[in-house]
Every structure is written in structure tokens, then in C-alpha cells.
Amino acid sequence: MSRPSRKNELLDTARDLVMRKGFSATSVDEICTLSQMTKGAFFHHFSDKEGFGLALLDHFEQEGRLRMQAHLPLRKRSARSQLHAYLDLLGDMYGEDARFREGCLFAILAYESSDPSSPLRRACAAALERWMEGARAQFAQIIALLDTPPPVRAEDLAEHLLVVIEGALVMGRVRDPAVAIARALAQFRSYAEAALGLGGR
């Protein structure tokens, strides 16, 4: 296995720090100290702190995409088993993987960026939209397995799921993150089964 690049090592270190302290409160000096990198090396990789923030968002999104792609596509015989497999996968990702269970970097940076036209805010919005596109695709597959189209759309389920996960990550800040995610996804599972008309199927 190839050794991670110094840039990726720095981004991994910075991700954990930003998750704990927030983006604004995390200084370049702290990042360099923790990653054992000089400021010159930092600015070799990033033009400024905003450029660093954009790279950090991209790194976080790629990690999530690779984590999901390692297990997708799910191919089950029934809508219920497909739904359960997808939610189980999300439960493992957000409940067990330390890179994701501590919070959502997109949300953290979006909260801190008050200017809706700033590059960081726009990057957060675009990343969340791509997350929902992936969820919409999963729910579209689930709906395609049903005999009768349900009254709920894939888009509605995807948006609801994002809200549920983000809320659970917030709760995980003050409670056990794995428990918060498990409870939230169990509640969403019940809602989705009812909305899709799965019942005991």
C-alpha cells in the first residue's frame, strides 16, 4: 500500500482539529504544529486559508465517496432489504468510522460562513447537493422495486435522510455519537418503511 502524501496527512490532521474546534478557531500555526509541517510547506500546498478550506472539503467528500463506493451498488431482491442494506451501510459509516461520526465538515464550515456567495459556502452547498444526489439514486432504486409507486418521492426521502443524519451528528456532540446515529437511523427506517408502504414485507 502506498504511503499517504504529506498533503493528505496534513488534511487528515486538520480535519480532526477543525471537527473539534471549528474552522475559524483553527489556526494555520496549529495545523502546521500538529502535522509537523512548516508554514512554508503549508503555503506551498494552499494559497491561503480559504484555499485550504476548499481542499479540506474536497478531501472530506472524497473520503466519504470512497467509503460508500467500497460497498455500492447494493443489489437486493426486495425494496425492504434494499432499504435496510442502505441504512445499515450509513449506520456503519457514521456510527463506526471516526472520520464521519464526529460531525459533518460541510455543516461546520457552512455554519461559520455567513456570506452565501463565499467560495466555502458555495462549496458546502454543492457538496451537500451531491450527497443528496447519491441518496436520491439509492431511494430511486428502492422505489423501482415496489409494485405500486408510493406517495413519497426519492427526492423527499433523500432530503429527510440528510436532515436526520445532520441532526444525529449534532446530538452526537453531546451524547454518544454511535448511539445518536443508530437511534436516528432506526427512526428514519420506520418512517421510510411506512412512507414506502413496505409494512411487514
Side-chain angles (χ1 to χ4, degrees):
M1 183 181 290
S2 61
R3 187 177 184 273
S5 70
R6 288 291 285 137
K7 181 178 178 180
N8 283 343
E9 288 177 351
L10 183 149
L11 289 169
D12 287 338
T13 299
R15 177 199 60 225
D16 297 341
L17 190 58
V18 169
M19 288 289 197
R20 290 196 307 272
K21 295 188 63 175
F23 184 71
S24 300
T26 300
S27 70
V28 171
D29 286 334
E30 283 179 294
I31 295 165
C32 291
T33 298
L34 282 176
S35 59
Q36 298 181 331
M37 182 178 285
T38 66
K39 286 182 83 170
F42 178 93
F43 287 112
H44 169 74
H45 292 298
F46 314 107
S47 57
D48 53 22
K49 193 176 178 187
E50 184 175 76
F52 158 72
L54 292 170
L56 188 60
L57 281 171
D58 183 63
H59 182 66
F60 182 75
E61 184 176 8
Q62 285 186 40
E63 286 183 318
R65 187 182 303 118
L66 290 172
R67 179 75 163 73
M68 292 296 287
Q69 285 175 348
H71 300 278
L72 295 175
L74 301 167
R75 291 284 184 261
K76 302 298 179 182
R77 294 184 178 181
S78 72
R80 191 168 193 229
S81 59
Q82 181 86 3
L83 173 67
H84 285 209
Y86 179 51
L87 296 180
D88 288 347
L89 175 56
L90 291 173
D92 290 342
M93 177 175 173
Y94 288 100
E96 304 299 328
D97 193 323
R99 294 172 297 176
F100 306 104
R101 74 166 178 254
E102 300 304 324
C104 174
L105 195 63
F106 306 142
I108 289 170
L109 268 70
Y111 291 150
E112 293 189 26
S113 180
S114 59
D115 179 5
S117 66
S118 75
L120 276 175
R121 181 78 169 266
R122 290 199 310 268
C124 290
L128 287 170
E129 183 57 37
R130 286 189 292 272
W131 189 99
M132 282 197 293
E133 283 174 11
R136 278 194 290 267
Q138 290 301 314
F139 287 120
Q141 288 180 15
I142 291 165
I143 289 170
L145 292 169
L146 296 171
D147 296 329
T148 306
V152 66
R153 302 177 306 160
E155 291 84 352
D156 302 327
L157 290 167
E159 186 172 337
H160 190 162
L161 178 60
L162 177 62
V163 171
V164 165
I165 289 175
E166 291 295 345
L169 292 173
V170 171
M171 292 298 292
R173 291 273 181 149
V174 294
R175 297 181 179 174
D176 183 292
V179 171
I181 284 289
R183 283 174 55 85
L185 287 177
Q187 291 163 3
F188 179 84
R189 188 186 309 250
S190 297
Y191 159 76
E193 286 182 349
L196 292 166
L198 296 178
R201 283 189 253 172

